[in-house]
Amino acid sequence: MAPFNSRPQRRPYVVAHTAVALDGATTGFAPDTERFYALAATWREDITLAGADTILAQEKALASAPRPGPAADGPLLAVVDARRRIRQWDALREVGHWSGVIALYAESTPARPPGSSVPELVTGTDRVDLAEAIDTLGRNEGAEVVRVDSGGSLTGALLSAGLLDEVSLLVHPCLAGATGGHQWYGSASHSAHTLELIANETFDDGLVWLRYRVA
Ligand SMILES: NC(=O)c1ccc[n+]([C@@H]2O[C@H](COP(=O)([O-])OP(=O)(O)OC[C@H]3O[C@@H](n4cnc5c(N)ncnc54)[C@H](OP(=O)(O)O)[C@@H]3O)[C@@H](O)[C@H]2O)c1
């Protein structure tokens, strides 16, 4: 009989919640952020998993944002950052959304400055091993739910690797067209997965919320 502590642990439930235009773009239009974050609270995630580019896009706003300090009951922010491009860890920790931060690095990640106090998890060689990172976060942090914050690149990588359980799209009644350079599915293959509709809701302002289970 296997010893009690060697039981396989269930991987956390992973959901990517994204604001999109009708053409699937995640940029190049003005999302309803109030509605977006209100709906994001649905999952009460233990970990917010963000791509480095998503965080870098908020750098300017973050620099001048109030810093009330870590949110004791908030999720942990984990940022995929194999190239170590993120610098504003203190601001992220103190902006009041998250209880703490953790950098997800790879073996190839440039050396950290001496005395760096940023908690880190190293997986993968050239890039972060997303499966191992999620498994380890689930085990080490006791995380059951991970919400992905991505403009498409990270979501696509997770989708391709079979690591997404749910896709949530808040569809805006507009087209981003040429101004939207990112699609919510990144470079994921069009035929790799079946998406099963599990919920939908229409709001007065023309927004439609679609939730799909990834089969
Ligand atoms: N509409 C929305 O809901 C929404 C949400 C978030 C962001 N955005 C917007 O989207 C833009 C950023 O999105 P993005 O698509 O450029 O980037 P992203 O989703 O932030 O993802 C980039 C990150 O994914 C990692 N990654 C990609 N493929 C990987 C793989 N196969 N294995 C391991 N790691 C992988 C990259 O790793 P490396 O570090 O190795 O490069 C990088 O850290 C910004 O303009 C932001 O404002 C929109």
Side-chain angles (χ1 to χ4, degrees), residues 14-20 26 32-43 45 48-49 54 146-152 155 158 164 166-172 184 203 208-211:
V14 183
V15 50
H17 175 59
T18 313
V20 297
T26 63
D32 182 337
T33 49
E34 197 176 322
R35 178 86 69 184
F36 178 81
Y37 284 109
L39 296 178
T42 301
W43 296 277
E45 81 263 24
T48 310
L49 178 65
T54 291
V146 172
R147 180 176 66 81
V148 178
D149 193 6
S150 160
T155 298
L158 292 165
L164 268 192
E166 180 178 339
V167 169
S168 163
L169 300 174
L170 181 60
V171 184
H172 290 62
W184 69 265
F203 301 102
V208 179
W209 185 28
L210 300 171
R211 294 178 64 184

Side-chain angles (χ1 to χ4, degrees), residues 48-60:
T48 310
L49 178 65
D53 296 276
T54 291
I55 297 298
L56 289 171
Q58 297 165 20
E59 244 183 350
K60 221 170 167 183

Side-chain angles (χ1 to χ4, degrees), residues 25-206:
T26 63
T27 55
F29 68 103
D32 182 337
T33 49
E34 197 176 322
R35 178 86 69 184
F36 178 81
Y37 284 109
L39 296 178
T42 301
W43 296 277
R44 304 169 66 86
E45 81 263 24
D46 302 299
I47 293 184
T48 310
L49 178 65
D53 296 276
T54 291
I55 297 298
L56 289 171
Q58 297 165 20
E59 244 183 350
K60 221 170 167 183
L62 193 60
S64 56
R67 293 191 186 189
D73 297 333
L76 178 69
L77 173 67
V79 185
V80 179
D81 187 24
R83 288 174 276 166
R84 204 172 76 75
R85 291 177 289 155
I86 304 297
R87 293 287 186 273
Q88 292 176 297
W89 292 105
D90 288 342
L92 289 167
R93 189 186 290 117
E94 292 163 15
V95 77
H97 300 321
W98 297 286
S99 55
V101 295
I102 184 166
L104 304 185
Y105 292 146
E107 285 167 21
S108 62
T109 299
R112 276 63 96 190
S116 165
S117 63
V118 182
E120 62 179 65
L121 170 62
V122 178
T123 61
T125 310
D126 295 325
R127 304 196 92 171
V128 170
D129 181 326
L130 297 169
E132 191 183 333
I134 290 170
D135 278 350
T136 306
L137 288 171
R139 226 174 19 249
N140 293 358
E141 308 295 335
E144 293 181 356
V145 178
V146 172
R147 180 176 66 81
V148 178
D149 193 6
S150 160
S153 176
L154 179 59
T155 298
L158 292 165
L159 198 53
S160 297
L163 295 171
L164 268 192
D165 296 290
E166 180 178 339
V167 169
S168 163
L169 300 174
L170 181 60
V171 184
H172 290 62
C174 64
L175 293 173
T179 58
H182 300 69
Q183 305 290 314
W184 69 265
Y185 49 83
S187 58
S189 156
H190 71 285
S191 59
H193 301 280
T194 306
L195 299 174
E196 179 194 339
L197 187 68
I198 51 173
N200 64 89
E201 191 171 344
T202 305
F203 301 102
D204 288 344
D205 45 11

